[in-house]
Amino acid sequence: MKIHEYQAKEIFSRYNIPVTKELLCYTVDEVNAATVKLGLPVVVKAQVLTGGRGKAGGVKLARTAEEATAAAKQILGMDIKGFLVEKVLVAQGVKFSSEYYVGLTIDRNTKSVLFMASSEGGVEIEEVAKDNPDAILKFPIDPDLGMTPFMARKIAFALFDDFKLVKQATDLFQKLYRIFLETDASLVEINPLVLTAEGNLLALDGKMNFDDNALFRQKEINALLEPTEDEVKELDAKEKGLTYIRLDGSIGCMVNGAGLAMATMDMIKYYGGSPANFLDIGGSSSPQKVIDAMNLLLSDKNVKVVMINIFGGITRCDDVARGLVAALDQIKVTVPIVVRLSGTNSKEGLEIIKSANLPVVETMTQAAQMAISLCS
Ligand code: GDP
Ligand code: MN
């Protein structure tokens, strides 16, 4: 889950990390009022849950009231990568001499939090990573020790010479690590962290992502959720006991079990097709679940064929088949369906499917190939 810059900076503030003075605005009038309150110059920044705002023209420095108004008019209502800008952050303009990057994420190789730091902040860090990877310093943080003062100082010394700044950075880095752990974040980033004209460190921007699987214990963070259309569907599916992730392809998949669902998508790809989704309907044979799953699949207009892949283990194929037939009796399905049933009681299951006039196959290969041919 992602949150906005202003929300990330509110969290930073709570941990006493210095951030710019700023106000969130929804209208041009509010921006004008905020500009008066904060004093010129100000920076008007689009608040959208996607990166690359700067490049898209969503961050503008205004030196006069007129410029602030113009920036507000331009940015509010703007479309950035499919996200409508409904609010902007008006931040007090800051004079600074250098821009740094700091970021925390989880590194699967070292199985620890990775602290990244660079003196080439400001610009897109992805470009620095590509063109000059050595400019990004990486420090795995031992999960048992945490961010010790020694480690924080080591990172600080890698960026700064001045002892006053090293002290500020040491404190700031320890706080960032605490934020990362205490909020179940998957990413915490300050880009840029600037050295102001007064000689202090200040977070000019802030970015945080969170582990969705930890949101149940992060009530405050969860309350900030602004789901996209796709995410609304995914949450809705979760409530019905389904695990659904939308993808870009045209073959709707309905599978019992996450592993088999992954294998199904692989099989479709292998034979040259593309899955429209990941969908795990779990182990039950309840017709309601199949109805819910089918409605979910069909709500995606890209779906040209539905491939149902069931492996009967504890769930018996004949039960699933009956559920399937009952479900399909109740909803109108306009696209072709391919059913693959295998495992416990598959013979009985296949008979039931056949008598309902549905095309049925016994192997995943056949199912994938048939689904792909029905697509084109
Ligand atoms: P992003 O491009 O979406 O990451 O937005 P940022 O908030 O990081 O701003 C992009 C760049 O705009 C920064 O790297 C700065 O160079 C510049 N910028 C942002 N705020 C200020 C400010 O208060 N004063 C000045 N002079 N530049 C700023
Ligand atoms: Mn930035």
Side-chain angles (χ1 to χ4, degrees):
M1 176 190 150
K2 294 175 180 170
I3 58 172
H4 292 288
E5 170 192 2
Y6 76 92
Q7 295 166 328
K9 281 153 108 182
E10 271 168 25
I11 296 175
F12 292 172
S13 280
R14 256 184 263 156
Y15 284 78
N16 292 318
I17 290 179
V19 299
T20 34
K21 284 202 184 71
E22 52 200 25
L23 293 163
L24 185 70
C25 301
Y26 292 85
T27 63
V28 177
D29 286 343
E30 283 177 17
V31 171
N32 292 335
T35 306
V36 173
K37 252 194 199 151
L38 294 169
L40 289 159
V42 292
V43 182
V44 184
K45 306 164 98 176
Q47 299 295 294
V48 276
L49 297 176
T50 182
R53 315 172 288 181
K55 260 194 178 165
V59 177
K60 287 204 155 62
L61 180 72
R63 289 192 179 77
T64 64
E66 290 71 33
E67 278 177 17
T69 308
K73 279 185 180 159
Q74 244 173 31
I75 297 174
L76 281 165
M78 188 184 241
D79 184 283
I80 300 182
K81 295 186 188 161
F83 289 84
L84 178 70
V85 182
E86 286 172 323
K87 46 193 172 192
V88 292
L89 190 59
V90 179
Q92 204 166 56
V94 174
K95 278 208 182 101
F96 54 81
S97 54
S98 14
E99 298 181 90
Y100 301 89
Y101 168 90
V102 291
L104 289 84
T105 184
I106 289 173
D107 179 29
R108 286 166 211 281
N109 290 324
T110 57
K111 301 188 176 77
S112 63
V113 174
L114 188 69
F115 197 109
M116 295 171 288
S118 175
S119 50
E120 295 189 24
V123 287
E124 270 180 75
I125 200 69
E126 289 79 10
E127 272 169 37
V128 180
K130 208 172 80 212
D131 303 334
N132 189 11
D134 292 342
I136 302 173
L137 308 171
K138 293 178 177 162
F139 304 86
I141 308 302
D142 186 315
D144 290 330
L145 297 178
M147 179 65 96
T148 57
F150 159 76
M151 183 48 109
R153 243 185 332 266
K154 185 173 158 182
I155 304 170
F157 269 118
L159 291 186
F160 307 102
D161 298 323
D162 181 349
F163 197 72
K164 181 190 149 207
L165 288 177
V166 169
K167 258 179 103 172
Q168 277 190 28
T170 303
D171 178 57
L172 197 149
F173 295 167
Q174 285 181 287
K175 285 172 178 161
L176 277 182
Y177 186 78
R178 263 183 57 212
I179 293 179
F180 190 92
L181 288 193
E182 289 175 7
T183 63
D184 284 309
S186 54
L187 177 81
V188 175
E189 218 175 58
I190 304 180
N191 186 30
L193 173 73
V194 297
L195 176 56
T196 64
E198 295 81 32
N200 295 313
L201 294 177
L202 176 78
L204 213 63
D205 191 8
K207 186 172 172 181
M208 289 186 79
N209 294 350
F210 302 92
D211 179 351
D212 292 347
N213 292 316
L215 290 175
F216 74 93
R217 64 179 189 189
Q218 295 289 347
K219 300 275 180 281
E220 262 182 61
I221 306 281
N222 195 35
L224 305 178
L225 181 66
E226 286 176 26
T228 59
E229 236 173 84
D230 280 352
E231 285 165 344
V232 168
K233 268 195 192 174
E234 290 170 11
L235 288 171
D236 194 35
K238 206 177 201 176
E239 261 167 35
K240 294 181 169 130
L242 308 165
T243 309
Y244 174 80
I245 313 278
R246 203 188 144 201
L247 302 166
D248 299 329
S250 49
I251 300 178
C253 306
M254 191 192 301
V255 188
N256 67 333
L260 187 61
M262 297 294 284
T264 304
M265 297 192 302
D266 281 349
M267 195 64 98
I268 291 170
K269 277 274 181 192
Y270 182 76
Y271 286 106
S274 63
N277 63 278
F278 170 98
L279 174 56
D280 173 13
I281 61 168
S284 94
S285 52
S286 119
Q288 191 53 49
K289 251 191 175 174
V290 180
I291 294 173
D292 289 340
M294 196 55 97
N295 283 329
L296 193 61
L297 287 186
L298 298 177
S299 69
D300 176 358
K301 295 299 160 229
N302 290 337
V303 169
K304 298 221 165 51
V305 52
V306 173
M307 171 173 166
I308 300 174
N309 188 7
I310 304 293
F311 183 79
I314 294 168
T315 327
R316 289 162 26 208
C317 286
D318 53 334
D319 272 351
V320 177
R322 264 186 289 273
L324 213 58
V325 172
L328 296 178
D329 267 351
Q330 292 182 45
I331 49 174
K332 203 173 125 259
V333 181
T334 47
V335 297
I337 299 175
V338 180
V339 185
R340 178 262 188 167
L341 277 182
S342 173
T344 313
N345 287 7
S346 62
K347 248 194 202 138
E348 293 83 341
L350 289 171
E351 286 309 319
I352 296 169
I353 300 284
K354 267 182 207 151
S355 55
N357 283 327
L358 286 169
V360 60
V361 294
E362 280 178 58
T363 71
M364 267 172 79
T365 304
Q366 289 167 338
Q369 288 173 335
M370 188 187 277
I372 292 166
S373 70
L374 286 168
C375 257
S376 43

